[in-house]
């Protein structure tokens, strides 16, 4: 059984995990997930990345949206909107079935269970055969500083403003005092292969790396770490990764991704459209492998997963 640790964000990570658990024994896979996106709304603790990974790998995610559950209904949100008030109470959509997950998580946390234990319970309900672990059980929250509004919480930026405002800085509140959840550092230390998923480096992967001990653990295993670039042809397939990199003074390209991870990875997998950038990537001290990385089919996804397991070879 191959032991694999995967540093995860949301949709891109979930799709790559689907491939990994098809091409290797899921029992050897540990997904270490970002919780900087977590938010409390309507009194409920919501963990978007944990839930996207859970629903996707359980085969229950909405194919149209890439998040939430297939066949979802929205009666609770519709009813909430009828109450009026400031008119913005339902800007973050929670489906009726999805609410059950948040109600369960919130009640278990209120009982004193750590987030890692609650995540394992939710994963078991959905039949996941790999380990899904939040990077920390402590409070970790991503904040972005915008040009016009100052600092706002991540979901205010990402969902409410549809990530359409310019960002000048990113901060991970609580990171310095956080400790890795049980099993996180051990998974990294004992993995035969460590994969950084094609997630947003700025707001999906960096919150994970901000938890003390995680970045150092990856750096110590640098030769065994493979990252998949979320930037293809200078653009992000989905979300604001390209704009965030540019706004923060970095190059939105596979070379920019290589530079972002240069102290942590031994191999960067880039899409075949970026093959010509290979020499520039390798000048940063890593191997560059070019292949199809847009996971629009099982065949491409599984081939990408096998390449990651093989260290890009």
């Amino acid at each position: 059984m191959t032991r694999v640790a995967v540093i995860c964000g949301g949709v891109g990570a979930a799709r790559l995990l689907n491939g990994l658990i098809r091409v290797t024994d899921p029992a050897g896979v540990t997904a270490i997930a970002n919780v900087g996106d977590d938010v409390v709304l309507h009194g409920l603790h919501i963990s978007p990345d944990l839930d996207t990974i859970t629903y996707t790998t359980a085969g229950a995610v909405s194919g149209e949206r890439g998040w939430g559950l297939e066949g979802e209904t929205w009666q609770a949100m519709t009813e909430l909107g009828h109450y009026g008030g400031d008119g913005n109470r339902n800007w973050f959509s929670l489906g009726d079935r999805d609410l059950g997950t948040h109600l369960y998580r919130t009640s278990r946390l209120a009982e004193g269970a750590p987030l890692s234990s609650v995540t394992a319970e939710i994963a078991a309900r959905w039949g996941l055969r790999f380990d899904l672990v939040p990077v920390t059980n402590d409070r970790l929250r991503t904040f972005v500083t915008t040009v016009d509004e100052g600092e706002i919480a991540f979901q205010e930026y990402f969902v409410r403003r549809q990530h359409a405002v310019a960002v000048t800085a990113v901060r991970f509140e609580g990171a310095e005092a956080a400790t890795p959840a049980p099993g996180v550092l051990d998974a990294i230390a004992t993995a035969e292969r460590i994969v950084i998923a094609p997630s947003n480096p700025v707001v999906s992967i960096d919150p994970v790396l901000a938890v003390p001990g995680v970045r150092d653990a990856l750096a110590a295993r640098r030769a065994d770490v493979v990252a998949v670039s979320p930037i293809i042809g200078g653009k992000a397939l989905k979300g604001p990764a390209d704009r965030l990199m540019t706004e923060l003074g970095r190059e939105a390209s596979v070379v920019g991704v290589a530079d972002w991870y240069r102290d942590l990875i031994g191999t960067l997998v880039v899409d075949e459209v970026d093959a010509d950038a290979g020499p520039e990537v390798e000048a940063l001290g890593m191997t560059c492998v070019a292949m199809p990385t847009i996971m629009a089919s099982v065949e491409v996804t599984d081939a990408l997963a096998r390449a990651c397991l093989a260290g890009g070879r």
Side-chain angles (χ1 to χ4, degrees), residues 1 10 12 16 28 61 77 131 139 155 158 176 184-185 205 224 243 253 263 270 273 289 307:
M1 180 177 70
L16 181 59
V61 77
M77 289 293 101
D131 289 334
R139 187 181 185 279
Q155 296 299 349
F158 188 73
E176 291 183 1
V184 167
L185 297 184
I205 301 301
D224 300 310
R243 297 199 315 274
S253 68
D263 297 327
V270 306
V273 303
V289 175

Side-chain angles (χ1 to χ4, degrees), residues 49 152 158 172-173 230 245 276:
D49 283 359
I152 59 176
F158 188 73
F172 308 118
E173 184 175 275
M245 292 180 74
D276 289 348

